[in-house]
Structure formats: C-alpha cells, structure tokens
Amino acid sequence: MKKAITISVSQFFRNPLDFELLAAHVLPPMVSAKASRARPSLRVWSAGCARGEEPYSVAILLEEQARRDKLQLARHLFATDIDLGVLADAAQ
C-alpha cells in the first residue's frame, strides 16, 4: 500500500516555480520575522522528502536569504519520509 501512495522522487529544486515562490514570497518574511530575536533561528520540516534533495534545496535558499539580510540565522531542517528504502539511500 505504501508504494501506491508514495512517489519516492527527489531532485534539487524540483518544481522550480514552487521554489521561486518560496524564495521570493515565503522565506523573506519568515527570515525577517526571526531577525529581531536575540538568537534568530528557524525550523523547517520537509515531509515526504525521499532522498532529501528538496530540503537541501530549502537549506540553500535559507543560506542565500540569510546572506542577503546579513543575518546569523540558525537553521534546523527536519526531513522525513515513510519509505525506509529511500531514507537508506539518503543516508548514503
């Protein structure tokens, strides 16, 4: 059943328009809101991440945003998937 509902596809910046939207409209206000805190940090959860290229892509976008804002931002990314096979591939 699990194989019927999972696609186990992972690619850096897969669905480019989604990542453009994330970079232009979602991350800037999130990072900006965290900037005013004493110890700025941001947590991101990527569900259904397969081998992990998508959360890694988000990490790249967060790094670029933090550099643009000249902000030391602690980033914590949590990536999960229910397919143990692709998680084993990701661990490699």
Side-chain angles (χ1 to χ4, degrees), residues 2-92:
K2 179 175 49 177
K3 289 290 183 191
I5 60 172
T6 61
I7 60 170
S8 299
V9 172
S10 193
Q11 179 182 343
F12 287 100
F13 297 98
R14 187 168 62 98
N15 302 328
L17 292 176
D18 292 340
F19 280 98
E20 288 176 27
L21 176 71
L22 188 65
H25 301 287
V26 177
L27 293 180
M30 288 176 68
V31 170
S32 182
K34 299 295 182 176
S36 62
R37 298 189 179 204
R39 292 181 3 198
S41 69
L42 182 65
R43 288 190 233 178
V44 176
W45 175 33
S46 177
C49 70
R51 291 187 319 265
E53 284 95 335
E54 289 84 359
Y56 199 97
S57 300
V58 173
I60 292 169
L61 295 178
L62 282 171
E63 175 65 22
E64 291 173 348
Q65 186 65 46
R67 286 184 183 192
R68 273 193 297 277
D69 292 350
K70 296 179 175 62
L71 176 65
Q72 293 290 342
L73 177 70
R75 294 164 294 264
H76 307 276
L77 280 85
F78 304 91
T80 60
D81 200 289
I82 62 170
D83 187 333
L84 298 179
V86 295
L87 290 177
D89 290 344
Q92 294 296 323

